[in-house]
Amino acid sequence: MEEASRLLAGLQPPGAAGDPPPHRLQAASGPPQPQAGPGLQDTGDILQQIMAITDQSLDEAQARKHALNCHRMKPALFSVLCDIKEKTVLSIRGIQEEDPPDAQLMRLDNMLLAEGVSGPEKRGRGGPAAIAATSGGCPNDNSIEHSDYRAKLSQIRQIYHSELEKYEQACSEFTTHVMNLLREQSRTRPISPKEIERMVNIIHGKFSTIQMQLKQSTCEAVMILRSRFLDARRKRRNFSKQATEVLNEYFYSHLSNPYPSEEAKEELAKKGGITVSQVSNWFGNKRIRYKKNMGKFQEEANIYAAKTAVDATNVVAQGNQTSSPPTPNSGSSGSFKMTNSGDSFINLQSLTSYQNSPVGANVQSQMDSLHHVIHQAGRYDSIVGNPLYSTQRIDANGSWQDATTPTSITSPTGDPGSINSDASN
DNA sequence: ATAGATGATTATTA
DNA sequence: TAATAATCATCTAT
């Protein structure tokens, strides 16, 4: 190689890479060393033969090729050509190198890892599960949902891995194939190891775009899965009859203060087979919706009110205060701040004072129930008939609490608009 | 297919 | 921090 490059150093004007015109070669052989003379002559001859080979017929060319292959100068020339090619190819390709897609690839990788798709196989660890727990703040029911989710996720992971394996296999197969081919050809063609390496890199690059597509679509699949399974809103199930029963019972029997304590919530949750936060949600929704359109809840209210009222009276009749109601004290023994501006409240106001009796909270419950009963049976039928009126335990501000001013007790027939002022939605 | 019901989430408020 | 109000996304009945 050393000699060879020295040998050709004089003949090769830099950049005249592949096709040095033979005559120039000869012309260039001006002041050669004594021993180089015949060598150069020889080289020029060979090059001329090579150049001419394409003009010959196939058979002729084949024969000539074989002859050249056996030429004593062949190895030297060959390595020189390799050298030259290496340099020119490098100067052409060396400029543009990889990188741009790396950021994206990193993101995808990170996500797949975070989702537990590309990570270590084991299940039960905290990727998606942890996200689910934190995102909603609701440690709720569905272990079924989660196992379903996990099943689908592992399905995705399985597909991902098998595809990845296929991809890797194909990649290495193709790479070795190309490498073998190149190595084989390197005997007849100037192909340097470096070039082979570069080729391998190119192949890997192409394959990695395929890999990225795989990762991309896997990510999408995971995202879709997440949104379908872990966003609880999408997987909403109505509560059981039992649950709504329990909740409504409490709500309507504590209508004047439908804010269950933490213990009460726990009790309700237990009874209804739902979680405490679901109870909280339910009460939040119920309060706001009841307030917004009380007329709509009339019937329901009456049902539950009557029901609990009956229960309550039974209890009282039997000898009071035994009761250990599942939901003790809502607003507790103190004042309820029942909100005025209600129709039947004048009458009931006095009853409210029983509150402080030893029976305590239980009475309040009965009170609330009685409100409805009285309401329904009494002289307010006509008013109640108007959906806008209904039972009003809410003050003009729409508040269940405070509501200090007993102002409009006297004008239940007042403007209907004042209560449901917000109307439509 | 659609409207209304309903459970959950989010942003705001006190 | 918990309640409210608005909104979302689904469920259910029609």
Side-chain angles (χ1 to χ4, degrees):
Chain A
M1 169 77 107
E2 268 286 315
E3 304 171 76
S5 51
R6 242 193 297 122
L7 210 148
L8 282 203
L11 332 171
Q12 281 295 332
D19 46 5
H23 47 274
R24 271 189 72 197
L25 281 178
Q26 282 182 330
S29 61
Q33 279 102 355
Q35 18 133 231
L40 278 182
Q41 188 57 44
D42 204 3
T43 310
D45 190 36
I46 293 169
L47 288 173
Q48 227 158 6
Q49 289 181 34
I50 293 173
M51 293 307 292
I53 212 166
T54 49
D55 298 330
Q56 297 164 347
S57 74
L58 207 60
D59 287 343
E60 233 178 332
Q62 209 68 7
R64 179 53 49 105
K65 217 168 87 184
H66 186 255
L68 283 171
N69 260 336
C70 300
H71 197 279
R72 64 180 178 84
M73 285 294 286
K74 188 242 176 182
L77 254 180
F78 190 75
S79 75
V80 170
L81 287 176
C82 279
D83 235 25
I84 292 166
K85 186 179 175 192
E86 182 63 33
K87 279 175 192 148
T88 52
V89 164
L90 269 183
S91 70
I92 291 169
R93 294 233 183 100
I95 309 161
Q96 26 149 7
E97 284 303 322
E98 52 225 276
D99 262 32
D102 255 5
Q104 171 101 3
L105 193 75
M106 286 268 284
R107 282 210 342 253
L108 292 176
D109 273 337
N110 286 340
M111 179 182 162
L112 289 176
L113 207 66
E115 295 295 336
V117 173
S118 63
E121 175 62 34
K122 267 303 128 207
R123 46 159 58 220
R125 48 165 217 93
I131 293 166
T134 31
S135 76
C138 56
N140 65 25
D141 55 288
N142 39 27
S143 55
I144 304 158
E145 311 288 339
H146 281 184
S147 71
D148 203 2
Y149 170 83
R150 274 211 301 274
K152 298 256 180 190
L153 189 70
S154 80
Q155 202 177 326
I156 288 178
R157 183 170 52 206
Q158 204 174 328
I159 291 169
Y160 171 77
H161 279 124
S162 81
E163 289 297 315
L164 200 65
E165 202 175 320
K166 272 191 221 159
Y167 148 82
E168 264 157 8
Q169 194 181 337
C171 184
S172 74
E173 253 173 42
F174 189 73
T175 304
T176 51
H177 181 250
V178 168
M179 272 170 67
N180 286 340
L181 218 62
L182 287 178
R183 256 188 229 122
E184 181 145 338
Q185 291 204 345
S186 73
R187 271 183 280 148
T188 56
R189 213 149 64 79
I191 300 172
S192 69
K194 229 178 193 168
E195 200 183 350
I196 294 179
E197 189 189 322
R198 200 161 41 238
M199 188 58 83
V200 168
N201 281 341
I202 290 170
I203 293 169
H204 283 177
K206 298 291 181 195
F207 269 89
S208 83
T209 66
I210 299 172
Q211 189 187 32
M212 198 155 98
Q213 279 173 6
L214 172 66
K215 285 180 178 178
Q216 177 105 40
S217 57
T218 305
C219 276
E220 276 166 23
V222 171
M223 293 301 273
I224 290 168
L225 187 71
R226 282 258 318 253
S227 67
R228 285 187 67 78
F229 279 82
L230 294 184
D231 184 355
R233 282 190 291 192
R234 292 181 181 273
K235 238 346 193 193
R236 186 173 73 71
R237 290 255 169 271
N238 287 352
F239 292 160
S240 66
K241 194 129 206 218
Q242 162 79 4
T244 47
E245 191 91 352
V246 169
L247 293 167
N248 273 315
E249 239 163 64
Y250 187 99
F251 181 81
Y252 288 110
S253 60
H254 297 73
L255 241 196
S256 64
N257 190 36
Y259 297 86
S261 65
E262 206 54 38
E263 303 88 65
K265 282 181 189 170
E266 278 167 33
E267 189 67 34
L268 288 168
K270 201 161 123 197
K271 279 175 116 183
I274 56 179
T275 68
V276 173
S277 58
Q278 281 178 304
V279 172
S280 296
N281 284 340
W282 189 91
F283 272 89
N285 283 324
K286 192 71 177 182
R287 281 191 299 262
I288 201 81
R289 282 164 184 164
Y290 178 86
K291 196 168 83 178
K292 239 177 171 168
N293 190 355
M294 285 180 287
K296 201 168 65 184
F297 291 93
Q298 271 290 277
E299 206 177 335
E300 184 177 78
N302 294 332
I303 292 168
Y304 285 102
K307 199 193 272 193
T308 46
V310 171
D311 288 351
T313 16
N314 286 345
V315 171
V316 170
Q318 281 170 11
N320 55 19
Q321 103 194 78
T322 35
S323 67
S324 53
T327 56
N329 57 17
S330 55
S332 80
S333 52
S335 61
F336 286 112
K337 306 152 195 149
M338 303 248 284
T339 57
N340 50 67
S341 88
D343 23 324
S344 59
F345 273 84
I346 315 169
N347 305 358
L348 296 173
Q349 207 80 35
S350 54
L351 288 176
T352 315
S353 58
Y354 286 131
Q355 285 272 0
N356 296 327
S357 75
V359 187
N362 208 21
V363 173
Q364 175 58 36
S365 165
Q366 296 166 31
M367 285 281 307
D368 283 319
S369 305
L370 287 173
H371 286 175
H372 274 285
V373 176
I374 292 168
H375 221 282
Q376 272 327 82
R379 63 197 200 275
Y380 292 102
D381 280 356
S382 57
I383 299 170
V384 169
N386 179 348
L388 290 179
Y389 268 85
S390 72
T391 54
Q392 300 170 15
R393 244 142 292 246
I394 304 165
D395 66 3
N397 298 329
S399 170
W400 246 294
Q401 324 217 350
D402 61 58
T404 42
T405 58
T407 44
S408 59
I409 303 174
T410 50
S411 63
T413 48
D415 49 16
S418 64
I419 289 127
N420 289 20
S421 53
D422 68 334
S424 69
N425 250 15

